[in-house]
Amino acid sequence: MGWGDVEPPNVSLATRPDTCFGVVNLSSSRLNETQRKAIASPWFSTTFGLIGLCSNLFALYVLLSSSRKLSSRSRSSFLVFLCGLVVTDFMGLLVTASVIIPYHFIKFNWAEVDPGCHLCNFLGFSMVFFGQCPLLLGATMAGERFFGINHPFSRSTSISKRRAWSIVAMVWGFSCTLGLLPILGLGRYTLQFPGSWCFLTLLPDTGNVVFCLLFALLGVCSVLLSFVFNTVSVVTLCRVYHDREAVQRRRDSEVEMMVQLVGIMVIATICWMPLLIFIIQTTLQQLRSGEGSQLLPGQTQKLLLIYIRMVTWNQILDPWVYILFRRAVLQRVHPGLRARPSLVSLYPVLNPSLRRKL
């Protein structure tokens, strides 16, 4: 996502601010041959995409193998959320790479191939949809584990697989609605520097400002919610594991899920927060300046490209969190870990009669 060439689109369309080609003046970009190859290397972007696709496929295989052996409903529902996350990351890489990688080899002219901006809108929608989904799924998973650990008796049963998939489908539907807003008229998707990808537009008109802030603030809130939920859950686990009655019966399954959730949260924070904060800062600065420019400043274009490249790593690293931080792997690193699950071990101060019933 975001690797491209510097050849300008058709000038007649590129200079029109009402098209998806009129925001970035690619013809003014002057790069030497070394910089051009560094940005537009087709082999680097192809290798980069293949690594991400293979990583997600491997993680999906491991997830499906693990889900067949589980009897715990809480663990099963958590694997459903993880599976939804891996599928989202895989499809995000596949869809965006199917447009960007051919561009590297063919060097097609966007304005000639896509004069109606349909391909650009599709790519921009894909960037928003597959970008927002992992953040929302991370917050959803953190919330589910928060209630599962801190309020295990507030629900009569754990979330079933069908209900978990329904929640994943709701997240996909919400992200799809968000991605369709520019196509429906709230803001617009435009071709971005260096000419290989489309994304939201950081210009100070009302539609673009509203959509940019909506996208960025929603992402920031998702990351913050994940942080709050995961922090409270980790503190709860640490507190009960140091209890005298609970120390002999550890909830290794809970620990495994929380380690994976914290890993997903850390990766999302590192990869996404710079872009989200940059979008908010740029939008507010342009609003305060009151300038009605129809072109993005060159420095803004280049920073946006850097931050988008950072975001792409989220889709590549997410599957490795599950692959590397499974109980089977953790037990090899720390042989003292044992699978001895017990629901009541988290709450050793329960009434004795209730403990006997459980």
Side-chain angles (χ1 to χ4, degrees):
M1 296 181 349
W3 298 93
D5 204 350
V6 294
E7 297 177 2
N10 183 276
V11 176
S12 63
L13 285 176
T15 54
R16 288 175 51 189
D18 60 331
T19 70
C20 59
F21 309 111
V23 173
V24 177
N25 186 7
L26 299 178
S27 60
S28 65
S29 301
R30 297 184 180 275
L31 300 177
N32 58 39
E33 190 64 23
T34 301
Q35 291 172 321
R36 183 188 297 268
K37 290 180 179 179
I39 292 176
S41 171
W43 301 110
F44 179 80
S45 56
T46 302
T47 303
F48 190 76
L50 286 175
I51 291 174
L53 291 173
C54 292
S55 299
N56 281 280
L57 278 178
F58 180 54
L60 186 59
Y61 168 77
V62 175
L63 277 168
L64 293 177
S65 300
S66 300
S67 63
R68 297 191 187 101
K69 305 174 184 178
L70 286 177
S71 57
S72 170
R73 296 190 71 181
S74 62
R75 181 63 181 164
S76 297
S77 61
F78 183 79
L79 288 182
V80 168
F81 290 125
L82 269 179
C83 187
L85 179 63
V86 171
V87 169
T88 302
D89 288 337
F90 175 81
M91 291 303 299
L93 286 170
L94 181 63
V95 170
T96 54
S98 65
V99 177
I100 294 173
I101 291 179
Y103 173 86
H104 291 302
F105 291 96
I106 302 173
K107 297 296 189 294
F108 60 82
N109 189 307
W110 276 88
E112 294 177 357
V113 172
D114 185 33
C117 293
H118 302 301
L119 181 61
C120 187
N121 284 333
F122 171 74
L123 187 55
F125 165 81
S126 300
M127 299 283 283
V128 170
F129 173 77
F130 292 111
Q132 196 67 240
C133 272
L135 299 179
L136 294 175
L137 284 173
T140 302
M141 294 162 65
E144 193 276 335
R145 282 293 81 214
F146 169 81
F147 288 106
I149 291 174
N150 293 275
H151 305 283
F153 305 110
S154 63
R155 300 172 297 176
S156 58
T157 59
S158 299
I159 296 178
S160 64
K161 283 187 177 181
R162 177 174 295 183
R163 187 176 179 184
W165 276 117
S166 299
I167 295 175
V168 172
M170 289 175 60
V171 171
W172 286 341
F174 180 83
S175 299
C176 181
T177 303
L178 179 69
L180 287 174
L181 290 180
I183 300 175
L184 298 176
L186 183 63
R188 59 183 172 132
Y189 294 123
T190 49
L191 189 66
Q192 305 290 334
F193 174 81
S196 62
W197 59 294
C198 294
F199 196 48
L200 47 79
T201 308
L202 298 175
L203 288 180
D205 56 86
T206 303
N208 287 317
V209 167
V210 171
F211 182 69
C212 288
L213 291 178
L214 178 63
F215 173 82
L217 291 175
L218 183 61
V220 170
C221 289
S222 298
V223 173
L224 292 179
L225 278 176
S226 298
F227 177 80
V228 172
F229 285 144
N230 288 334
T231 300
V232 175
S233 298
V234 168
V235 169
T236 301
L237 286 177
C238 291
R239 187 177 68 248
V240 299
Y241 279 177
H242 285 82
D243 189 279
R244 293 180 180 178
E245 296 182 37
V247 72
Q248 295 181 357
R249 282 190 149 184
R250 298 183 176 180
R251 289 294 305 275
D252 293 331
S253 178
E254 297 286 357
V255 172
E256 179 188 14
M257 288 187 279
M258 286 312 306
V259 168
Q260 292 169 353
L261 266 182
V262 170
I264 291 171
M265 178 192 69
V266 170
I267 290 173
T269 302
I270 295 173
C271 294
W272 270 99
M273 287 301 282
L275 173 65
L276 298 175
I277 293 174
F278 173 74
I279 291 175
I280 295 173
Q281 287 180 336
T282 303
T283 303
L284 295 180
Q285 286 173 0
Q286 292 196 5
L287 275 178
R288 285 196 296 266
S289 66
E291 297 178 359
S293 174
Q294 293 299 320
L295 289 176
L296 289 175
Q299 186 64 21
T300 301
Q301 301 171 27
K302 294 175 182 178
L303 286 174
L304 185 59
L305 176 62
I306 292 172
Y307 293 138
I308 280 292
R309 289 173 176 172
M310 291 178 61
V311 164
T312 308
W313 279 100
N314 186 76
Q315 297 171 310
I316 296 175
L317 295 176
D318 268 348
W320 288 102
V321 172
Y322 177 72
I323 294 171
L324 297 178
F325 293 102
R326 288 176 296 131
R327 223 181 320 174
V329 178
L330 294 175
Q331 285 175 355
R332 294 181 182 180
V333 178
H334 193 292
L337 290 175
R338 294 292 182 270
R340 291 170 293 182
S342 173
L343 177 64
V344 295
S345 65
L346 276 178
Y347 291 84
V349 295
L350 291 173
N351 183 282
S353 60
L354 179 59
R355 289 172 61 87
R356 284 194 296 270
K357 292 180 181 178
L358 292 171

